[in-house]
Short mmCIF file of all heavy atoms in Angstrom, two decimals:
data_model
loop_
_atom_site.label_atom_id
_atom_site.label_comp_id
_atom_site.label_asym_id
_atom_site.label_seq_id
_atom_site.Cartn_x
_atom_site.Cartn_y
_atom_site.Cartn_z
N GLN A 5 91.93 112.96 112.20
CA GLN A 5 92.05 111.81 111.28
C GLN A 5 91.81 112.26 109.83
O GLN A 5 92.48 111.80 108.93
CB GLN A 5 91.07 110.70 111.69
CG GLN A 5 91.16 109.47 110.81
CD GLN A 5 92.50 108.76 110.92
OE1 GLN A 5 93.13 108.75 111.97
NE2 GLN A 5 92.95 108.17 109.84
N VAL A 6 90.81 113.13 109.65
CA VAL A 6 90.50 113.61 108.30
C VAL A 6 91.68 114.36 107.72
O VAL A 6 92.04 114.14 106.55
CB VAL A 6 89.24 114.52 108.33
CG1 VAL A 6 89.01 115.15 106.96
CG2 VAL A 6 88.03 113.72 108.75
N ILE A 7 92.33 115.19 108.52
CA ILE A 7 93.49 115.93 108.04
C ILE A 7 94.62 114.98 107.70
O ILE A 7 95.28 115.13 106.67
CB ILE A 7 93.93 116.98 109.09
CG1 ILE A 7 92.87 118.06 109.22
CG2 ILE A 7 95.28 117.59 108.73
CD1 ILE A 7 93.08 119.01 110.37
N LYS A 8 94.81 113.97 108.53
CA LYS A 8 95.86 112.98 108.27
C LYS A 8 95.58 112.24 106.95
O LYS A 8 96.50 112.01 106.16
CB LYS A 8 95.89 111.99 109.44
CG LYS A 8 97.17 111.27 109.60
CD LYS A 8 97.12 110.44 110.87
CE LYS A 8 98.52 110.09 111.31
NZ LYS A 8 98.54 109.33 112.54
N ASP A 9 94.32 111.89 106.71
CA ASP A 9 93.95 111.21 105.46
C ASP A 9 94.18 112.09 104.25
O ASP A 9 94.64 111.62 103.22
CB ASP A 9 92.49 110.76 105.51
CG ASP A 9 92.25 109.63 106.49
OD1 ASP A 9 93.24 108.98 106.91
OD2 ASP A 9 91.08 109.39 106.84
N LEU A 10 93.85 113.38 104.38
CA LEU A 10 94.07 114.32 103.28
C LEU A 10 95.54 114.49 102.98
O LEU A 10 95.95 114.56 101.81
CB LEU A 10 93.43 115.67 103.60
CG LEU A 10 91.91 115.72 103.59
CD1 LEU A 10 91.41 117.07 104.10
CD2 LEU A 10 91.36 115.44 102.20
N GLU A 11 96.36 114.55 104.02
CA GLU A 11 97.81 114.67 103.82
C GLU A 11 98.36 113.43 103.13
O GLU A 11 99.19 113.53 102.22
CB GLU A 11 98.51 114.88 105.16
CG GLU A 11 98.28 116.26 105.76
CD GLU A 11 98.85 116.41 107.15
OE1 GLU A 11 99.37 115.42 107.73
OE2 GLU A 11 98.78 117.53 107.68
N TYR A 12 97.90 112.25 103.55
CA TYR A 12 98.33 110.99 102.93
C TYR A 12 97.92 110.97 101.46
O TYR A 12 98.71 110.61 100.59
CB TYR A 12 97.72 109.80 103.68
CG TYR A 12 98.08 108.46 103.08
CD1 TYR A 12 99.32 107.88 103.31
CD2 TYR A 12 97.17 107.78 102.27
CE1 TYR A 12 99.65 106.66 102.76
CE2 TYR A 12 97.50 106.55 101.72
CZ TYR A 12 98.74 106.00 101.96
OH TYR A 12 99.06 104.79 101.41
N SER A 13 96.69 111.40 101.21
CA SER A 13 96.18 111.42 99.84
C SER A 13 97.02 112.35 98.97
O SER A 13 97.33 112.01 97.81
CB SER A 13 94.71 111.87 99.84
OG SER A 13 94.21 111.93 98.54
N GLN A 14 97.39 113.50 99.50
CA GLN A 14 98.22 114.43 98.73
C GLN A 14 99.60 113.85 98.49
O GLN A 14 100.17 114.02 97.42
CB GLN A 14 98.33 115.78 99.45
CG GLN A 14 99.05 116.84 98.64
CD GLN A 14 98.42 117.09 97.28
OE1 GLN A 14 97.23 117.30 97.16
NE2 GLN A 14 99.24 117.03 96.23
N GLU A 15 100.15 113.16 99.47
CA GLU A 15 101.47 112.52 99.29
C GLU A 15 101.42 111.47 98.17
O GLU A 15 102.34 111.37 97.37
CB GLU A 15 101.94 111.89 100.60
CG GLU A 15 102.36 112.89 101.63
CD GLU A 15 102.76 112.24 102.94
OE1 GLU A 15 102.97 111.00 102.98
OE2 GLU A 15 102.88 112.97 103.94
N VAL A 16 100.35 110.70 98.14
CA VAL A 16 100.19 109.68 97.09
C VAL A 16 100.13 110.37 95.73
O VAL A 16 100.79 109.94 94.78
CB VAL A 16 98.94 108.83 97.33
CG1 VAL A 16 98.62 107.96 96.12
CG2 VAL A 16 99.10 107.96 98.57
N LYS A 17 99.38 111.46 95.63
CA LYS A 17 99.29 112.21 94.37
C LYS A 17 100.65 112.77 93.97
O LYS A 17 101.00 112.76 92.78
CB LYS A 17 98.26 113.33 94.48
CG LYS A 17 96.84 112.83 94.54
CD LYS A 17 95.86 113.96 94.72
CE LYS A 17 94.46 113.43 94.91
NZ LYS A 17 93.49 114.49 95.20
N ASP A 18 101.40 113.27 94.93
CA ASP A 18 102.73 113.81 94.65
C ASP A 18 103.65 112.72 94.12
O ASP A 18 104.41 112.94 93.17
CB ASP A 18 103.34 114.44 95.90
CG ASP A 18 102.63 115.73 96.32
OD1 ASP A 18 101.85 116.29 95.51
OD2 ASP A 18 102.84 116.16 97.48
N TRP A 19 103.59 111.53 94.74
CA TRP A 19 104.43 110.42 94.27
C TRP A 19 103.99 109.98 92.87
O TRP A 19 104.82 109.66 92.02
CB TRP A 19 104.40 109.24 95.24
CG TRP A 19 105.35 109.45 96.37
CD1 TRP A 19 105.05 109.69 97.68
CD2 TRP A 19 106.78 109.48 96.28
NE1 TRP A 19 106.20 109.86 98.41
CE2 TRP A 19 107.28 109.74 97.58
CE3 TRP A 19 107.68 109.33 95.23
CZ2 TRP A 19 108.64 109.85 97.85
CZ3 TRP A 19 109.03 109.43 95.51
CH2 TRP A 19 109.51 109.69 96.80
N ALA A 20 102.68 109.97 92.64
CA ALA A 20 102.19 109.60 91.31
C ALA A 20 102.74 110.56 90.27
O ALA A 20 103.20 110.13 89.19
CB ALA A 20 100.66 109.63 91.30
N GLU A 21 102.74 111.84 90.58
CA GLU A 21 103.27 112.83 89.65
C GLU A 21 104.77 112.60 89.40
O GLU A 21 105.25 112.69 88.27
CB GLU A 21 103.05 114.24 90.19
CG GLU A 21 103.49 115.32 89.24
CD GLU A 21 103.22 116.73 89.76
OE1 GLU A 21 102.43 116.88 90.71
OE2 GLU A 21 103.81 117.66 89.20
N THR A 22 105.49 112.26 90.46
CA THR A 22 106.92 111.98 90.34
C THR A 22 107.15 110.81 89.39
O THR A 22 108.00 110.90 88.48
CB THR A 22 107.52 111.65 91.73
OG1 THR A 22 107.34 112.78 92.59
CG2 THR A 22 108.99 111.31 91.62
N PHE A 23 106.41 109.74 89.59
CA PHE A 23 106.60 108.56 88.73
C PHE A 23 106.19 108.82 87.29
O PHE A 23 106.79 108.24 86.37
CB PHE A 23 105.84 107.36 89.30
CG PHE A 23 106.54 106.72 90.47
CD1 PHE A 23 106.02 106.83 91.75
CD2 PHE A 23 107.74 106.05 90.31
CE1 PHE A 23 106.67 106.25 92.84
CE2 PHE A 23 108.40 105.47 91.38
CZ PHE A 23 107.86 105.57 92.66
N THR A 24 105.21 109.67 87.05
CA THR A 24 104.80 109.95 85.67
C THR A 24 105.83 110.78 84.93
O THR A 24 105.86 110.77 83.70
CB THR A 24 103.43 110.66 85.60
OG1 THR A 24 103.50 111.91 86.30
CG2 THR A 24 102.33 109.81 86.17
N LYS A 25 106.69 111.46 85.66
CA LYS A 25 107.75 112.25 85.03
C LYS A 25 108.96 111.41 84.67
O LYS A 25 109.84 111.87 83.94
CB LYS A 25 108.16 113.40 85.95
CG LYS A 25 107.06 114.44 86.08
CD LYS A 25 107.45 115.56 87.00
CE LYS A 25 106.32 116.57 87.09
NZ LYS A 25 106.63 117.69 87.98
N MET A 26 108.99 110.19 85.16
CA MET A 26 110.10 109.27 84.85
C MET A 26 109.82 108.50 83.57
O MET A 26 108.67 108.45 83.11
CB MET A 26 110.23 108.21 85.96
CG MET A 26 110.63 108.70 87.29
SD MET A 26 110.68 107.28 88.42
CE MET A 26 111.33 108.06 89.86
N ASP A 27 110.84 107.89 83.04
CA ASP A 27 110.67 106.94 81.97
C ASP A 27 109.83 105.79 82.52
O ASP A 27 110.05 105.34 83.66
CB ASP A 27 112.05 106.45 81.53
CG ASP A 27 111.97 105.35 80.48
OD1 ASP A 27 111.59 105.66 79.34
OD2 ASP A 27 112.28 104.19 80.84
N ALA A 28 108.85 105.32 81.76
CA ALA A 28 107.94 104.27 82.23
C ALA A 28 108.67 103.02 82.70
O ALA A 28 108.29 102.41 83.70
CB ALA A 28 106.93 103.92 81.13
N LYS A 29 109.73 102.65 82.00
CA LYS A 29 110.48 101.44 82.38
C LYS A 29 111.14 101.61 83.75
O LYS A 29 111.11 100.70 84.58
CB LYS A 29 111.52 101.12 81.32
CG LYS A 29 112.23 99.82 81.52
CD LYS A 29 113.12 99.48 80.34
CE LYS A 29 113.68 98.09 80.51
NZ LYS A 29 114.37 97.64 79.30
N ASN A 30 111.71 102.78 84.01
CA ASN A 30 112.35 103.04 85.30
C ASN A 30 111.31 103.12 86.41
O ASN A 30 111.52 102.58 87.52
CB ASN A 30 113.15 104.34 85.25
CG ASN A 30 114.36 104.22 84.36
OD1 ASN A 30 114.89 103.14 84.13
ND2 ASN A 30 114.82 105.34 83.82
N ALA A 31 110.19 103.76 86.15
CA ALA A 31 109.12 103.86 87.15
C ALA A 31 108.60 102.47 87.50
O ALA A 31 108.39 102.15 88.67
CB ALA A 31 107.99 104.75 86.64
N ALA A 32 108.41 101.64 86.48
CA ALA A 32 107.92 100.28 86.71
C ALA A 32 108.90 99.49 87.56
O ALA A 32 108.50 98.78 88.48
CB ALA A 32 107.70 99.57 85.37
N ALA A 33 110.18 99.63 87.27
CA ALA A 33 111.20 98.89 88.03
C ALA A 33 111.18 99.30 89.51
O ALA A 33 111.26 98.45 90.40
CB ALA A 33 112.59 99.14 87.44
N ILE A 34 111.04 100.58 89.79
CA ILE A 34 110.99 101.04 91.18
C ILE A 34 109.73 100.54 91.87
O ILE A 34 109.79 100.02 92.98
CB ILE A 34 111.07 102.58 91.23
CG1 ILE A 34 112.43 103.05 90.74
CG2 ILE A 34 110.79 103.08 92.65
CD1 ILE A 34 112.52 104.54 90.46
N LEU A 35 108.59 100.69 91.21
CA LEU A 35 107.33 100.26 91.81
C LEU A 35 107.30 98.75 92.06
O LEU A 35 106.74 98.27 93.03
CB LEU A 35 106.15 100.70 90.95
CG LEU A 35 105.91 102.22 90.92
CD1 LEU A 35 104.89 102.58 89.86
CD2 LEU A 35 105.46 102.71 92.29
N GLU A 36 107.94 97.99 91.17
CA GLU A 36 107.99 96.53 91.34
C GLU A 36 108.80 96.14 92.57
O GLU A 36 108.54 95.09 93.18
CB GLU A 36 108.59 95.86 90.12
CG GLU A 36 107.63 95.73 88.98
CD GLU A 36 108.23 94.97 87.82
OE1 GLU A 36 109.30 95.36 87.33
OE2 GLU A 36 107.62 93.97 87.40
N GLU A 37 109.75 96.97 92.96
CA GLU A 37 110.55 96.68 94.15
C GLU A 37 109.73 96.86 95.43
O GLU A 37 110.13 96.37 96.50
CB GLU A 37 111.79 97.59 94.21
CG GLU A 37 112.82 97.25 93.17
CD GLU A 37 113.43 95.87 93.35
OE1 GLU A 37 113.70 95.48 94.51
OE2 GLU A 37 113.65 95.18 92.35
N MET A 38 108.60 97.51 95.34
CA MET A 38 107.75 97.77 96.50
C MET A 38 106.76 96.63 96.71
O MET A 38 105.59 96.84 96.99
CB MET A 38 107.02 99.11 96.33
CG MET A 38 107.95 100.30 96.24
SD MET A 38 107.12 101.83 95.79
CE MET A 38 105.98 102.04 97.16
N THR A 39 107.24 95.40 96.58
CA THR A 39 106.36 94.24 96.67
C THR A 39 105.69 94.10 98.03
O THR A 39 104.63 93.50 98.13
CB THR A 39 107.13 92.93 96.36
OG1 THR A 39 108.23 92.83 97.27
CG2 THR A 39 107.62 92.91 94.93
N GLY A 40 106.28 94.68 99.05
CA GLY A 40 105.70 94.59 100.39
C GLY A 40 104.55 95.54 100.62
O GLY A 40 103.86 95.46 101.63
N ASP A 41 104.32 96.46 99.68
CA ASP A 41 103.24 97.43 99.85
C ASP A 41 102.48 97.63 98.55
O ASP A 41 102.47 98.72 97.97
CB ASP A 41 103.81 98.76 100.36
CG ASP A 41 102.76 99.59 101.08
OD1 ASP A 41 101.55 99.25 100.95
OD2 ASP A 41 103.12 100.54 101.76
N THR A 42 101.86 96.56 98.08
CA THR A 42 101.13 96.64 96.81
C THR A 42 99.92 97.57 96.91
O THR A 42 99.51 98.14 95.90
CB THR A 42 100.67 95.24 96.35
OG1 THR A 42 99.99 94.60 97.42
CG2 THR A 42 101.84 94.40 95.89
N ASN A 43 99.38 97.76 98.12
CA ASN A 43 98.26 98.70 98.27
C ASN A 43 98.71 100.13 97.97
O ASN A 43 97.99 100.89 97.31
CB ASN A 43 97.64 98.62 99.66
CG ASN A 43 96.84 97.36 99.84
OD1 ASN A 43 96.26 96.83 98.92
ND2 ASN A 43 96.82 96.86 101.07
N LEU A 44 99.88 100.51 98.45
CA LEU A 44 100.41 101.84 98.17
C LEU A 44 100.71 102.00 96.68
O LEU A 44 100.37 103.01 96.06
CB LEU A 44 101.67 102.12 98.99
CG LEU A 44 102.36 103.46 98.71
CD1 LEU A 44 101.40 104.64 98.94
CD2 LEU A 44 103.60 103.59 99.58
N VAL A 45 101.33 100.99 96.09
CA VAL A 45 101.61 101.03 94.65
C VAL A 45 100.31 101.20 93.87
O VAL A 45 100.24 102.01 92.93
CB VAL A 45 102.37 99.77 94.18
CG1 VAL A 45 102.53 99.75 92.67
CG2 VAL A 45 103.73 99.68 94.85
N SER A 46 99.28 100.49 94.27
CA SER A 46 97.99 100.59 93.59
C SER A 46 97.42 102.00 93.72
O SER A 46 96.90 102.55 92.75
CB SER A 46 96.99 99.59 94.20
OG SER A 46 97.44 98.29 93.98
N LYS A 47 97.53 102.59 94.90
CA LYS A 47 97.02 103.96 95.09
C LYS A 47 97.79 104.96 94.24
O LYS A 47 97.22 105.89 93.67
CB LYS A 47 97.09 104.34 96.57
CG LYS A 47 96.06 103.62 97.40
CD LYS A 47 96.20 103.95 98.87
CE LYS A 47 95.20 103.12 99.67
NZ LYS A 47 95.34 103.32 101.11
N ILE A 48 99.10 104.76 94.15
CA ILE A 48 99.92 105.64 93.31
C ILE A 48 99.47 105.52 91.85
O ILE A 48 99.26 106.52 91.17
CB ILE A 48 101.42 105.32 93.47
CG1 ILE A 48 101.89 105.74 94.86
CG2 ILE A 48 102.24 106.00 92.38
CD1 ILE A 48 103.28 105.24 95.22
N LEU A 49 99.32 104.29 91.38
CA LEU A 49 98.91 104.08 89.99
C LEU A 49 97.51 104.63 89.72
O LEU A 49 97.27 105.21 88.65
CB LEU A 49 98.97 102.59 89.64
CG LEU A 49 100.37 102.00 89.54
CD1 LEU A 49 100.30 100.47 89.45
CD2 LEU A 49 101.13 102.57 88.36
N LEU A 50 96.62 104.49 90.66
CA LEU A 50 95.25 105.01 90.48
C LEU A 50 95.21 106.54 90.47
O LEU A 50 94.24 107.11 89.98
CB LEU A 50 94.33 104.46 91.57
CG LEU A 50 93.92 103.00 91.40
CD1 LEU A 50 93.20 102.51 92.65
CD2 LEU A 50 93.05 102.83 90.16
N SER A 51 96.25 107.18 90.98
CA SER A 51 96.31 108.64 90.97
C SER A 51 96.83 109.19 89.64
O SER A 51 96.92 110.40 89.46
CB SER A 51 97.21 109.13 92.11
OG SER A 51 96.63 108.79 93.35
N MET A 52 97.16 108.31 88.72
CA MET A 52 97.65 108.69 87.39
C MET A 52 96.51 108.61 86.38
O MET A 52 95.47 108.01 86.65
CB MET A 52 98.74 107.73 86.93
CG MET A 52 99.93 107.66 87.82
SD MET A 52 101.08 106.39 87.21
CE MET A 52 102.33 106.47 88.49
N THR A 53 96.74 109.19 85.20
CA THR A 53 95.78 109.00 84.13
C THR A 53 95.90 107.56 83.64
O THR A 53 96.92 106.90 83.88
CB THR A 53 96.04 109.95 82.94
OG1 THR A 53 97.29 109.59 82.34
CG2 THR A 53 96.07 111.41 83.39
N SER A 54 94.89 107.08 82.98
CA SER A 54 94.94 105.70 82.49
C SER A 54 96.08 105.50 81.49
O SER A 54 96.71 104.44 81.46
CB SER A 54 93.61 105.29 81.87
OG SER A 54 93.29 106.12 80.79
N LYS A 55 96.39 106.52 80.71
CA LYS A 55 97.48 106.42 79.74
C LYS A 55 98.84 106.29 80.44
O LYS A 55 99.67 105.46 80.07
CB LYS A 55 97.48 107.64 78.83
CG LYS A 55 98.50 107.60 77.73
CD LYS A 55 98.38 108.80 76.80
CE LYS A 55 99.38 108.71 75.69
NZ LYS A 55 99.30 109.84 74.76
N GLN A 56 99.03 107.10 81.49
CA GLN A 56 100.28 107.03 82.24
C GLN A 56 100.40 105.69 82.96
O GLN A 56 101.46 105.07 82.96
CB GLN A 56 100.33 108.17 83.26
CG GLN A 56 100.42 109.55 82.64
CD GLN A 56 100.11 110.65 83.63
OE1 GLN A 56 99.33 110.48 84.56
NE2 GLN A 56 100.72 111.82 83.42
N ARG A 57 99.30 105.27 83.57
CA ARG A 57 99.28 103.99 84.29
C ARG A 57 99.57 102.82 83.34
O ARG A 57 100.35 101.92 83.66
CB ARG A 57 97.91 103.82 84.97
CG ARG A 57 97.78 102.60 85.81
CD ARG A 57 96.51 102.59 86.66
NE ARG A 57 95.27 102.89 85.93
CZ ARG A 57 94.56 104.01 86.06
NH1 ARG A 57 94.93 104.96 86.89
NH2 ARG A 57 93.45 104.19 85.38
N ALA A 58 98.98 102.87 82.17
CA ALA A 58 99.18 101.80 81.18
C ALA A 58 100.64 101.71 80.73
O ALA A 58 101.19 100.61 80.61
CB ALA A 58 98.28 102.03 79.97
N ALA A 59 101.26 102.84 80.52
CA ALA A 59 102.67 102.85 80.08
C ALA A 59 103.56 102.20 81.13
O ALA A 59 104.46 101.41 80.79
CB ALA A 59 103.11 104.28 79.80
N ILE A 60 103.31 102.49 82.38
CA ILE A 60 104.14 101.94 83.46
C ILE A 60 103.84 100.46 83.66
O ILE A 60 104.74 99.63 83.74
CB ILE A 60 103.94 102.73 84.77
CG1 ILE A 60 104.54 104.14 84.61
CG2 ILE A 60 104.56 102.00 85.96
CD1 ILE A 60 104.24 105.09 85.74
N MET A 61 102.56 100.10 83.69
CA MET A 61 102.21 98.71 83.91
C MET A 61 102.64 97.81 82.76
O MET A 61 102.96 96.64 82.97
CB MET A 61 100.71 98.58 84.16
CG MET A 61 100.30 99.19 85.50
SD MET A 61 98.56 98.98 85.88
CE MET A 61 98.54 97.24 86.35
N ALA A 62 102.72 98.34 81.57
CA ALA A 62 103.18 97.57 80.41
C ALA A 62 104.64 97.17 80.56
O ALA A 62 105.08 96.17 79.98
CB ALA A 62 102.98 98.37 79.12
N GLU A 63 105.38 97.92 81.36
CA GLU A 63 106.80 97.62 81.58
C GLU A 63 107.03 96.69 82.77
O GLU A 63 108.14 96.25 83.01
CB GLU A 63 107.58 98.93 81.80
CG GLU A 63 107.60 99.85 80.62
CD GLU A 63 108.39 99.32 79.44
OE1 GLU A 63 109.26 98.45 79.64
OE2 GLU A 63 108.14 99.76 78.31
N MET A 64 105.97 96.39 83.51
CA MET A 64 106.09 95.54 84.69
C MET A 64 106.02 94.06 84.32
O MET A 64 105.50 93.70 83.28
CB MET A 64 104.95 95.83 85.69
CG MET A 64 105.03 97.15 86.35
SD MET A 64 103.63 97.35 87.48
CE MET A 64 104.16 98.81 88.36
N ASP A 65 106.51 93.24 85.25
CA ASP A 65 106.31 91.81 85.16
C ASP A 65 104.81 91.56 85.10
O ASP A 65 104.04 92.15 85.88
CB ASP A 65 106.92 91.15 86.39
CG ASP A 65 106.60 89.67 86.46
OD1 ASP A 65 107.20 88.91 85.69
OD2 ASP A 65 105.72 89.30 87.28
N SER A 66 104.36 90.70 84.21
CA SER A 66 102.92 90.50 84.00
C SER A 66 102.22 89.95 85.25
O SER A 66 101.07 90.31 85.51
CB SER A 66 102.67 89.60 82.79
OG SER A 66 103.27 88.33 83.00
N VAL A 67 102.88 89.11 86.01
CA VAL A 67 102.27 88.57 87.23
C VAL A 67 102.05 89.67 88.26
O VAL A 67 100.99 89.78 88.88
CB VAL A 67 103.12 87.42 87.82
CG1 VAL A 67 102.59 86.96 89.16
CG2 VAL A 67 103.20 86.26 86.84
N TYR A 68 103.04 90.55 88.42
CA TYR A 68 102.93 91.66 89.37
C TYR A 68 101.85 92.64 88.90
O TYR A 68 101.04 93.10 89.70
CB TYR A 68 104.27 92.36 89.53
CG TYR A 68 104.27 93.40 90.62
CD1 TYR A 68 104.14 93.04 91.95
CD2 TYR A 68 104.42 94.75 90.33
CE1 TYR A 68 104.14 93.99 92.96
CE2 TYR A 68 104.42 95.71 91.33
CZ TYR A 68 104.29 95.31 92.63
OH TYR A 68 104.28 96.27 93.63
N ALA A 69 101.84 92.95 87.62
CA ALA A 69 100.82 93.85 87.06
C ALA A 69 99.41 93.27 87.25
O ALA A 69 98.48 94.00 87.56
CB ALA A 69 101.10 94.12 85.58
N ALA A 70 99.28 91.97 87.09
CA ALA A 70 97.98 91.32 87.30
C ALA A 70 97.55 91.42 88.76
O ALA A 70 96.38 91.68 89.06
CB ALA A 70 98.04 89.87 86.86
N LYS A 71 98.51 91.23 89.67
CA LYS A 71 98.20 91.34 91.10
C LYS A 71 97.73 92.76 91.43
O LYS A 71 96.75 92.95 92.16
CB LYS A 71 99.45 91.00 91.92
CG LYS A 71 99.21 91.09 93.41
CD LYS A 71 100.50 90.89 94.20
CE LYS A 71 100.89 89.45 94.25
NZ LYS A 71 102.02 89.18 95.18
N LEU A 72 98.40 93.76 90.88
CA LEU A 72 98.01 95.16 91.10
C LEU A 72 96.63 95.43 90.53
O LEU A 72 95.81 96.13 91.13
CB LEU A 72 99.01 96.10 90.49
CG LEU A 72 100.38 96.16 91.15
CD1 LEU A 72 101.35 97.01 90.32
CD2 LEU A 72 100.28 96.67 92.57
N THR A 73 96.35 94.87 89.37
CA THR A 73 95.05 95.06 88.73
C THR A 73 93.94 94.52 89.62
O THR A 73 92.89 95.16 89.77
CB THR A 73 95.02 94.39 87.35
OG1 THR A 73 96.06 94.95 86.54
CG2 THR A 73 93.69 94.59 86.66
N LYS A 74 94.15 93.37 90.22
CA LYS A 74 93.15 92.78 91.12
C LYS A 74 92.91 93.70 92.32
O LYS A 74 91.78 93.85 92.78
CB LYS A 74 93.58 91.40 91.58
CG LYS A 74 93.43 90.33 90.53
CD LYS A 74 93.81 88.98 91.06
CE LYS A 74 92.64 88.43 91.86
NZ LYS A 74 92.85 87.03 92.27
N ILE A 75 93.96 94.34 92.82
CA ILE A 75 93.82 95.24 93.96
C ILE A 75 93.09 96.51 93.54
O ILE A 75 92.23 97.02 94.27
CB ILE A 75 95.21 95.59 94.55
CG1 ILE A 75 95.84 94.35 95.16
CG2 ILE A 75 95.09 96.72 95.58
CD1 ILE A 75 97.30 94.52 95.51
N MET A 76 93.37 96.99 92.34
CA MET A 76 92.77 98.25 91.88
C MET A 76 91.35 98.09 91.36
O MET A 76 90.63 99.06 91.26
CB MET A 76 93.64 98.87 90.77
CG MET A 76 94.98 99.36 91.26
SD MET A 76 95.91 100.22 89.97
CE MET A 76 96.32 98.87 88.87
N TYR A 77 90.94 96.87 91.08
CA TYR A 77 89.60 96.65 90.54
C TYR A 77 88.56 97.14 91.54
O TYR A 77 88.64 96.78 92.72
CB TYR A 77 89.40 95.16 90.23
CG TYR A 77 88.09 94.86 89.58
CD1 TYR A 77 87.88 95.16 88.23
CD2 TYR A 77 87.04 94.30 90.31
CE1 TYR A 77 86.66 94.88 87.64
CE2 TYR A 77 85.82 94.03 89.70
CZ TYR A 77 85.64 94.32 88.37
OH TYR A 77 84.44 94.06 87.78
N PRO A 78 87.61 97.96 91.07
CA PRO A 78 86.65 98.57 92.02
C PRO A 78 85.75 97.59 92.74
O PRO A 78 85.33 96.63 92.32
CB PRO A 78 85.82 99.50 91.17
CG PRO A 78 86.09 99.13 89.76
CD PRO A 78 87.34 98.33 89.72
#
């Protein structure tokens, strides 16, 4: 189970890196389409720096960004 969790964690980090290499508007549009898995979107965003996360979330619909913020709140 620990190995499985580590692999999942690395995959999330890899996806976060992928999205940070995109234009923030395009990354936001793709992440917004993942409405069925807001927990995964939150994990991806949390794997980014706050500056990268802010740029992407600023391009999102404000209601969706607020929902993600509630999930990410510690």
Side-chain angles (χ1 to χ4, degrees):
Q5 182 64 33
V6 173
I7 292 171
K8 203 174 199 178
D9 290 344
L10 289 173
E11 288 174 355
Y12 178 78
S13 178
Q14 186 57 50
E15 288 177 14
V16 169
K17 289 177 185 175
D18 291 345
W19 278 110
E21 184 178 344
T22 300
F23 283 110
T24 60
K25 292 179 180 179
M26 294 179 175
D27 175 70
K29 187 173 186 171
N30 292 335
I34 294 167
L35 291 170
E36 281 184 305
E37 290 296 319
M38 297 172 62
T39 57
D41 203 346
T42 52
N43 287 329
L44 176 58
V45 174
S46 298
K47 288 177 184 176
I48 290 170
L49 290 170
L50 285 171
S51 295
M52 301 175 183
T53 66
S54 60
K55 184 176 182 179
Q56 293 165 329
R57 184 170 50 250
I60 291 172
M61 290 183 76
E63 296 292 338
M64 291 180 169
D65 172 75
S66 60
V67 173
Y68 188 67
K71 180 186 283 189
L72 291 173
T73 301
K74 285 183 80 172
I75 293 169
M76 292 185 290
Y77 185 76

